[in-house]
Structure formats: C-alpha cells, structure tokens
Amino acid sequence: IMYPESYAYHETYGYCINEDVDESVLIQALQYIVDKNRMLRSVYTVDQDGIVKRKVKKNVVVELPVVKLNSNETIEEVIKVERRKSFDLERGPLFRFTMFVNGEGEKKLITCFHHLIYDWNSAQIFIMEVMENYKKLRRGQTLVLEQEDSRFDNYIEEEKRYLRSEKANEDRDYWMKHILNDDTLLTM
C-alpha cells in the first residue's frame, strides 16, 4: 500500500471532554463501536501479485491511554506528534484513542484513524455514537451487539455485481463516447 510511513492519510480529531468523565465507561462505549463495525477491525496486506487484500480481525481491543501533559507542553503540539505516528496496516488496529489532561485538569480525547477505514463523514457518526453509548452506559443500560455493521461490505458486493453486468458495459461505452468527443475537450 502506497507510502505506509506517511501521515497524510491520518484523520485526527480532538474532542473536549467533561472533567468527570468515567474513563472505563468511555472505553466500553468505544469498544462497542469497534466490535460492531467491521471497517474499524480491518487490516490490509499486499499479496505476491501486488493486490491489496482486506482482512477483518475478529477481536480488536480498544486502549485509551491517559497522558498528563507537562506544564510546557500544549495540546496542539501533542496532537501533531500523535498524528505523525505510523500505523501497521497489516497488524492494526488502524485507529488510536488517547486522553490528554493538561495542568488545569482539562481533558481532550484525541482520535486518530487511517483514511483506509475512516473519513470526515465517519467522524461525525462516530462521535455521536460514542456520546450516545456513553450516556446509555452511565444510565446503567447494557449495550447489546445485535449485528455487525456490514453496509460497506454490502456496497462493495453491489459495486462488483454492477461492474460485471451488461449495464456497466453500456454505461462505460456511453461515457467513453461522450468523453472522447472532441467537442467536449477543454482547451487552455
């Protein structure tokens, strides 16, 4: 996979956290999302023919280290360092969660994901689910893992079926005819 040492593909987000957050409950909320979402448990390898293969791990344990900042460190500096840490694409996980606490006791949850498994839209859904699950757990509710989220896998299978279909051939022919038309070329 191209440039595994590059952090250009890292999606890093910071969230202000209430000082009285129960870290063990937060870990449970995060773990529930990882357990239900196959993409968050995915790793990638390249076979001998150069083909990238995705493998979904059965179990990925969420860790949430708590890092107390020195008085001379800023959260912005620490986030830059955190973002630059590489991911092992073959072993995973392709995410990291870290709780940073400054001298005044303010807490920030920093999430860092590889773009192979996560994008900006995913970030919006993710943080809403974390908050929802955290609140449920704090109220004593049990989170029941009913079914893994396989929407992405379903999308990929639909796309493969389409690409093998006669309709895909017709669509390709249509666009190739229109794209290759001299009248549509942009001259500069």
Side-chain angles (χ1 to χ4, degrees):
I1 299 178
M2 294 176 49
Y3 312 110
E5 68 285 348
S6 173
Y7 62 90
Y9 301 106
H10 296 183
E11 301 282 338
T12 307
Y13 301 91
Y15 305 96
C16 294
I17 301 293
N18 191 323
E19 284 122 23
D20 67 347
V21 68
D22 184 329
E23 290 153 18
S24 66
V25 174
L26 181 57
I27 291 170
Q28 289 176 54
L30 293 166
Q31 186 68 59
Y32 177 80
I33 294 169
V34 169
D35 290 346
K36 106 175 184 172
N37 191 313
R38 298 169 59 86
M39 285 307 295
L40 295 177
R41 297 192 320 275
S42 295
V43 293
Y44 295 84
T45 58
V46 179
D47 69 14
Q48 67 273 10
D49 298 322
I51 306 296
V52 176
K53 302 282 184 176
R54 178 173 73 111
K55 177 184 172 201
V56 179
K57 294 179 120 183
K58 219 173 193 28
N59 298 307
V60 173
V61 176
V62 169
E63 296 178 4
L64 181 64
V66 178
V67 178
K68 297 193 184 330
L69 300 177
N70 298 326
S71 58
N72 60 345
E73 291 179 301
T74 68
I75 192 70
E76 291 78 15
E77 292 168 342
V78 176
I79 290 172
K80 283 181 189 175
V81 171
E82 194 66 24
R83 182 172 190 262
R84 288 188 165 113
K85 291 180 185 175
S86 63
F87 289 105
D88 185 334
L89 301 179
E90 293 186 0
R91 286 196 209 138
L94 302 185
F95 62 83
R96 283 188 293 277
F97 307 124
T98 309
M99 178 82 69
F100 290 99
V101 183
N102 69 13
E104 289 83 46
E106 297 171 330
K107 297 179 180 181
K108 286 210 177 176
L109 172 65
I110 304 304
T111 64
C112 188
F113 296 85
H114 196 285
H115 192 68
L116 280 167
I117 65 167
Y118 200 81
D119 61 11
W120 186 85
N121 290 328
S122 301
Q124 309 312 305
I125 295 167
F126 175 82
I127 198 61
M128 288 188 322
E129 284 189 25
V130 169
M131 292 185 319
E132 180 182 310
N133 293 337
Y134 180 83
K135 289 174 186 176
K136 285 179 180 177
L137 289 165
R138 286 293 295 237
R139 289 191 303 259
Q141 292 178 263
T142 302
L143 301 177
V144 179
L145 191 62
E146 296 170 8
Q147 184 177 352
E148 290 182 341
D149 188 346
S150 58
R151 288 176 288 186
F152 182 76
D153 294 325
N154 294 341
Y155 168 77
I156 294 298
E157 288 307 314
E158 285 178 34
E159 191 70 13
K160 285 179 182 177
R161 278 192 296 277
Y162 166 73
L163 292 172
R164 291 188 298 260
S165 74
E166 185 58 37
K167 173 76 170 123
N169 290 333
E170 291 169 9
D171 291 347
R172 189 177 307 109
D173 291 345
Y174 172 85
W175 285 110
M176 291 304 289
K177 178 181 168 188
H178 285 81
I179 290 172
L180 297 178
N181 182 342
D182 287 341
D183 294 340
T184 61
L185 293 178
L186 177 65
T187 55
M188 300 180 114

